[in-house]
Amino acid sequence: MSAIELRNLTKSYGGLPALQPLDFRVEDGEFLSILGPSGSGKTTLLRMIAGFITPDAGSITIGNQEVSRLPPERRNLGVVFQNYALFPHMSVLDNVAFGLRMRGIGRNERTARAAEALDLVGLSGFEQRLPRQLSGGQQQRVALARAIVIEPAVLLLDEPLGALDLKLRKRMQIELKQLHHKLRRTFIYVTHDQEEALTMSDRVAVMDKGRLLQVDPPSIIYARPRTAFVAEFLGESNLLPGELRQTADGGTVFVGQEGLVVALTTGQGEVGLGKAALAVRPERLRLVPVDAAAAIKAVVETVIFKGPWLSLVAHGAGARLEVLLPNDGRTFDLVPNVGETVALGFDNADVRVVEAAT
Amino acid sequence: MTGALHRNPVMVGLVVLTIAFILAPLVIATVIGFSSSPFLTFPPPGFSLQWFRRFLGDPEFIASLRNSLVIAGLVTVLGTVVGVLAAYGLDRLPRGPVKAVISGLVLSPLVLPIIVLALALFLFLANVDLLGTFTGIVVAHLLIAVPLVTNMVSAGLSTLNPSVTEAAASLGAGPWRNFGLVVLPQVASAIVGAAVLAFLFSFNDVTFIAFIGGADVQTLPLKLFAYIRYQLNPLIGAVSTLFVFSTLIVIVTFDRIVGFDKLVGIKD
Amino acid sequence: MTGFRVPAFLQAISAWIALAPVLVFMLAFFVLPAIGLVQISFYPHTAGTVLTPGFTLAHYAKVLTDPFYLSKMLLTLRVCALVVFFSLLLAYPVAYVLVRGRFAGKGLMIGLLLSPLLTNFVVLVFSWILLFGPGSFLMKGLQPLFGAGFKLLYSESGLVISLVHVAFPYALIPVITAIAQIDKSLEEAALSLGAGPWKTFFLVVLPLSVPGALSAAFVTVTIVLSSFAFALYIGGDSVLIVPLLIWQAVRDTLNWPLAAALSVSSFLVIFALLGIGMHLAGLTRAQRRLA
């Protein structure tokens, strides 16, 4: 009903592309995170959907309406800004009721609905305060209430929790998720924090350098990253350089450096033959006897104690690897010395083949 | 503190002397207004309110005062409206050569010596037969008032958070409602400050008036200007007192509302 | 910017609508008169009439070559230089104490220091006539020090003093702004390296505040060139600076083209000063970059 279709969107600034041709679809009612580092184009994309930026080419359709040429004030979207953008000269109530006022709703109804929205975000009683009298977290909630009270088709959130401290951020993440569940509207959430994206979203869209790299539910993005960038951006990942080759009987095998050979089954990556990288998470590597087959031989460089984990940094198979061993008390006996050669084993199902890092 | 140079006795002494230098002439002119003698002897021999009575009782002076107030009022209203619109327009122009040129044009009267402007306007108005008229004077004052308001309001606009206007737009406010309900209230103090300065400028102006005024319209400063030439007595002191006191009131209220230190850039 | 990128033409239109009044006004009452002024400066002057169209460079020639006018130009420049010097001399300590000091009532103090700005010219002129008049207590007090013939009224010194009084607020503001922008840690660094407070002031604060000082100087010169009321009543005929010459040309000799030529010339001089000043400021910045 109010799915968002983005087709062929592009944008450049003075010859430099901010968004490469972009196509995808946001499902009605889903919580979608757009995740990427700064400069990835995620904020550009959001502001384009909101109407603050006009695309050079392409179309944006919300519900059944093509909105690319509509100014922001006619798109009926709720926007929550990173710096809250509350009207400093208006009370909390007037802030929240502003959108209703623009829609010509009478004073009594405005006040009632605004008070309801404030109650929803847990700020009843704050109606007459001024923004400058509120803490960051409270201001953020007012911004939220202001955006949802107009009952928009879609809620756009531009790194709304960026300015809050860690504890508050974690609490707000949960509250936002609950709000989403309650309102059942589409949420598009821009962030650079991968943990945040993984925690809150139905789907995550990963962007880098203006390109959309992958759109999938969090578990899939994490376990089956499609490119080296995605693998590295979400969680830590070791990347081993090598080649993807076909075997005589039609299977595929990954040939890495220093004699590493890994036979692959289907579903471990969608990369063509030729140069590629093998991605494996640090927590999926373990120490195995030195003579085991299909293990990575590596020389230990550093051993770091990280509380619940023990981190080993080693060099092998042409890459610097990190291994995370669970600290179960017994590991200390097995901790290798610096300079020792160890063998690192893994389950075949835990590795992915991705594009070679450029 | 930083070497405490700002507490150094020489520095502080210089500052105190400067303050005395700035205030002394004004204080003396004020005191003389209360003199009982018709001569400009300081300190005055006795206390008297005769000069105030003379001033307030003189119909020509009162008429000129009224003219000054009316002109200043008009200039303030027109100047503020045009200046605020201009600042808004400039703010919405995309950065580039066009904006720079228009910006320069609108602000240039503030950079030139007033006498050049007064002369140019004098020659121009003589041609269009507006010399010495009410309209001519209002126009002349607007020539300074409008850039003044534009400058101050532009400075205020540049401190605003752009996301706030975007938020208003996302909630459905079109450009004009956005401006009226969201942008304008935030720069209200800058607008008031600019309006006050415009009023004071117009009320106090001597240069423009000396060149292009006089014939039909006498303003208070112009009357005083002539008065000094021909009748140098403490009456001017009485008028000075009124001026100085109203200036003082303006200074104190201005500082309460806007804060001179913030205006000038002193952060604390 | 308070705006955002809506369809470009829509945004542009509302901007131009808002700019229309000021542009029309400036075109009619600034641009046209300015052109008129330049035009008139080329008109010949026939005694008895005021404006007769024509073209002659006689007035500019007079201004630039006639020894009388040249001497008055030099006098004006000298007065400007003196006023700038003393205004800055007073402005710096005040600005420094205001920016770095910690005490209440700063705003009020600034307001009081700005009072000449807000006070009527005539009141100021009157005050100085009071103080400089031959019978005043000030003169009576100074005469023993400077000699019986010492006078401040109708003298260059008196004019300079009164002009400093008027120009000071205009000079103070840019200097305050300039000093406020200097990072305090720069002074602290100098102190930690062994420079005393005065040395720090002259070697660190002063050079870094040069753009503000130049701005102040520029404004001060503009004030001096506009100060014909002071020139008339306090300087008088013995200190014929350019604004007074212009006034006389307009009112007394009715030689309007000459007045126009004088105005245009003084404007060009200001322009030249501004250029030199900006060049100097650019130079000091380059020096700092290399250092």
Side-chain angles (χ1 to χ4, degrees):
Chain A
M1 195 248 306
S2 20
I4 305 183
E5 294 254 4
L6 303 169
R7 253 188 271 250
N8 210 27
L9 285 179
T10 45
K11 183 75 182 174
S12 318
Y13 289 108
L16 292 167
L19 275 187
Q20 314 278 15
L22 202 111
D23 279 87
F24 81 104
R25 182 191 162 85
V26 184
E27 299 301 333
D28 180 30
E30 78 166 318
F31 193 120
L32 176 89
S33 287
I34 306 182
L35 176 68
S38 27
S40 54
K42 58 190 193 299
T43 304
T44 309
L45 181 59
L46 191 84
R47 288 168 67 82
M48 224 182 253
I49 300 175
F52 303 130
I53 301 181
T54 20
D56 293 339
S59 74
I60 306 174
T61 317
I62 303 183
N64 281 322
Q65 210 191 3
E66 216 263 341
V67 299
S68 331
R69 303 288 158 210
L70 276 185
E73 55 263 27
R74 304 239 286 275
R75 294 199 188 189
N76 199 34
L77 303 167
V79 185
V80 181
F81 295 80
Q82 183 173 15
N83 60 38
Y84 322 131
L86 298 180
F87 306 127
H89 55 289
M90 295 186 196
S91 67
V92 164
L93 187 74
D94 287 336
N95 260 281
V96 176
F98 188 82
L100 300 173
R101 180 177 175 186
M102 291 300 109
R103 284 155 177 75
I105 298 185
R107 179 172 284 277
N108 289 328
E109 195 189 330
R110 288 211 298 264
T111 313
R113 285 172 66 174
E116 240 179 76
L118 281 171
D119 188 49
L120 203 66
V121 297
L123 282 181
S124 288
F126 279 71
E127 282 84 357
Q128 293 314 315
R129 301 254 189 116
L130 288 176
R132 63 167 178 270
Q133 298 170 307
L134 303 177
S135 71
Q138 291 165 335
Q139 288 187 38
Q140 192 50 279
R141 287 189 225 209
V142 175
L144 209 57
R146 183 176 68 177
I148 62 183
V149 78
I150 56 177
E151 298 184 351
V154 184
L155 201 64
L156 302 172
L157 303 108
D158 187 3
E159 305 204 51
L161 307 180
L164 303 175
D165 62 74
L166 191 62
K167 261 222 171 112
L168 191 56
R169 213 181 320 163
K170 298 233 177 272
R171 196 170 75 199
M172 290 292 296
Q173 285 170 8
I174 300 176
E175 286 189 26
L176 274 172
K177 190 72 185 143
Q178 290 172 338
L179 201 65
H180 172 247
H181 192 78
K182 199 180 231 174
L183 294 176
R184 283 196 280 182
R185 275 171 216 279
T186 316
F187 273 38
I188 301 185
Y189 189 95
V190 165
T191 179
H192 63 268
D193 183 337
Q194 45 108 340
E195 202 190 305
E196 202 167 72
L198 292 176
T199 322
M200 303 171 73
S201 334
D202 293 328
R203 282 198 303 164
V204 178
V206 183
M207 287 187 68
D208 181 42
K209 298 201 183 51
R211 227 184 290 263
L212 187 65
L213 297 174
Q214 188 173 355
V215 189
D216 270 320
S219 49
I220 298 186
I221 282 246
Y222 190 78
R224 305 219 280 265
R226 223 186 278 162
T227 72
F229 178 84
V230 179
E232 290 207 277
F233 199 75
L234 283 113
E236 300 292 331
S237 195
N238 293 307
L239 289 173
L240 305 167
E243 259 184 29
L244 205 60
R245 299 206 196 128
Q246 267 210 312
T247 54
D249 51 358
T252 27
V253 75
F254 177 86
V255 181
Q257 297 183 9
E258 295 174 24
L260 178 69
V261 177
V262 182
L264 301 170
T265 56
T266 48
Q268 275 176 296
E270 296 127 41
V271 181
L273 299 177
K275 272 188 71 175
L278 195 73
V280 56
R281 304 267 182 212
E283 66 268 20
R284 292 277 175 257
L285 289 170
R286 54 181 182 272
L287 293 175
V288 293
V290 188
D291 52 358
I296 306 169
K297 309 270 191 300
V299 178
V300 176
E301 283 182 1
T302 334
V303 179
I304 307 173
F305 175 62
K306 275 187 174 177
W309 298 93
L310 203 64
S311 163
L312 282 178
V313 180
H315 197 96
R320 178 186 253 133
L321 307 162
E322 193 196 359
V323 185
L324 280 176
L325 304 171
N327 180 12
D328 56 6
R330 289 174 285 127
T331 332
F332 274 116
D333 310 329
L334 308 167
V335 167
N337 295 313
V338 174
E340 239 184 84
T341 306
V342 294
L344 302 169
F346 48 89
D347 287 339
N348 204 291
D350 286 334
V351 300
R352 306 274 304 154
V353 181
V354 295
E355 288 154 22
T358 23
Chain B
M1 281 298 130
T2 333
L5 184 63
H6 53 86
R7 270 186 278 145
N8 183 298
V10 174
M11 270 287 200
V12 175
L14 277 169
V15 174
V16 169
L17 279 174
T18 309
I19 299 181
F21 170 63
I22 295 292
L23 294 179
L26 299 172
V27 168
I28 293 175
T30 309
V31 169
I32 265 255
F34 294 98
S35 169
S36 57
S37 146
F39 301 110
L40 292 177
T41 41
F42 189 90
F47 179 89
S48 157
L49 291 174
Q50 58 174 317
W51 305 109
F52 289 96
R53 268 180 261 128
R54 270 245 236 152
F55 170 67
L56 293 170
D58 186 328
E60 275 188 26
F61 265 122
I62 297 300
S64 69
L65 176 62
R66 195 173 35 95
N67 281 341
S68 286
L69 286 171
V70 169
I71 292 178
L74 248 146
V75 168
T76 306
V77 168
L78 287 173
T80 307
V81 168
V82 175
V84 168
L85 283 175
Y88 171 70
L90 274 176
D91 185 72
R92 300 204 84 197
L93 279 183
R95 209 173 297 181
V98 175
K99 181 174 185 171
V101 165
I102 297 202
S103 195
L105 178 67
V106 170
L107 296 176
S108 46
L110 294 176
V111 174
L112 297 172
I114 291 195
I115 206 172
V116 173
L117 294 171
L119 182 63
L121 214 50
F122 168 72
L123 297 168
F124 179 75
L125 290 177
N127 260 346
V128 263
D129 209 23
L130 276 177
L131 205 58
T133 64
F134 214 74
T135 326
I137 298 175
V138 171
V139 163
H141 288 180
L142 281 175
L143 202 53
I144 296 286
V146 168
L148 191 65
V149 173
T150 309
N151 196 19
M152 285 189 69
V153 175
S154 283
L157 285 175
S158 67
T159 63
L160 295 187
N161 177 356
S163 305
V164 173
T165 17
E166 289 180 348
S170 74
L171 292 164
W176 292 107
R177 286 185 97 171
N178 205 326
F179 179 65
L181 293 174
V182 176
V183 176
L184 219 50
Q186 290 182 73
V187 286
S189 60
I191 296 179
V192 168
V196 168
L197 286 182
F199 183 86
L200 280 177
F201 165 76
S202 167
F203 191 74
N204 284 329
D205 167 64
V206 173
T207 318
F208 278 110
I209 282 281
F211 273 86
I212 68 177
D216 311 340
V217 190
Q218 286 273 330
T219 62
L220 186 55
L222 188 61
K223 199 122 175 57
L224 291 174
F225 190 65
Y227 208 78
I228 286 194
R229 213 163 205 181
Y230 304 116
Q231 284 179 278
L232 205 53
N233 60 35
L235 181 124
I236 311 187
V239 186
S240 306
T241 311
L242 296 171
F243 268 111
V244 167
F245 267 106
S246 38
T247 305
L248 248 164
I249 295 178
V250 168
I251 290 180
V252 172
T253 354
F254 202 81
D255 189 44
R256 283 284 164 78
I257 300 182
V258 178
F260 275 112
D261 42 356
K262 262 175 262 131
L263 195 71
V264 162
I266 299 183
K267 330 152 199 147
D268 216 25
Chain C
M1 235 194 29
T2 61
F4 40 76
R5 283 160 185 79
V6 277
F9 74 96
L10 223 153
Q11 168 177 352
I13 282 192
S14 59
W16 288 105
I17 293 178
L19 283 172
V22 69
L23 286 177
V24 166
F25 177 77
M26 295 295 287
L27 203 69
F29 297 112
F30 180 61
V31 175
L32 286 182
I35 297 178
L37 182 71
V38 176
Q39 197 180 20
I40 291 180
S41 67
F42 292 114
Y43 285 1
H45 172 64
T46 3
T49 64
V50 227
L51 277 184
T52 36
F55 186 89
T56 167
L57 289 171
H59 307 293
Y60 285 105
K62 211 198 253 186
V63 166
L64 292 173
T65 56
D66 186 311
F68 175 74
Y69 284 100
L70 276 178
S71 72
K72 298 311 167 194
M73 293 278 230
L74 277 165
L75 173 66
T76 312
L77 280 173
R78 190 169 76 221
V79 169
C80 284
L82 285 169
V83 175
V84 166
F85 176 73
F86 284 108
S87 300
L88 286 177
L89 189 65
L90 293 181
Y92 264 97
V94 174
Y96 190 78
V97 170
L98 275 170
V99 174
R100 295 280 183 248
R102 319 207 104 220
F103 54 92
K106 273 194 199 178
L108 202 58
M109 189 166 129
I110 298 179
L112 288 175
L113 286 167
L114 294 183
S115 51
L117 223 159
L118 303 169
T119 316
N120 201 301
F121 261 13
V122 182
V123 171
L124 295 174
V125 167
F126 174 68
S127 317
W128 291 113
I129 294 181
L130 268 184
L131 277 171
F132 291 160
S136 84
F137 72 103
L138 181 70
M139 298 312 293
K140 293 225 185 86
L142 288 177
Q143 244 142 20
L145 293 168
F146 290 95
F150 180 65
K151 57 174 186 145
L152 283 176
L153 203 54
Y154 303 127
S155 82
E156 195 178 325
S157 330
L159 183 62
V160 168
I161 295 178
S162 59
L163 286 177
V164 168
H165 187 258
V166 168
F168 173 80
Y170 289 95
L172 183 64
I173 297 180
V175 174
I176 288 184
T177 312
I179 296 187
Q181 285 173 350
I182 299 179
D183 195 344
K184 217 199 297 192
S185 45
L186 289 175
E187 293 177 67
E188 292 170 343
L191 288 168
S192 73
L193 291 166
W198 285 104
K199 264 228 175 97
T200 310
F201 180 79
F202 283 106
L203 293 176
V204 176
V205 177
L206 212 53
L208 287 174
S209 67
V210 163
L214 286 174
S215 182
F218 181 76
V219 173
T220 307
V221 168
T222 314
I223 298 284
V224 171
L225 289 177
S226 298
S227 61
F228 84 98
F230 288 85
L232 187 59
Y233 287 125
I234 302 181
D237 280 347
S238 35
V239 196
L240 262 180
I241 54 175
V242 169
L244 195 51
L245 283 171
I246 297 180
W247 174 253
Q248 285 182 341
V250 173
R251 278 299 153 102
D252 302 337
T253 62
L254 290 181
N255 190 344
W256 294 358
L258 180 63
L262 279 167
S263 301
V264 174
S265 313
S266 50
F267 167 70
L268 289 174
V269 167
I270 292 196
F271 217 65
L273 284 176
L274 182 65
I276 298 179
M278 289 187 23
H279 188 67
L280 280 178
L283 265 181
T284 53
R285 225 176 294 139
Q287 277 175 346
R288 260 183 275 137
R289 233 182 284 135
L290 292 172

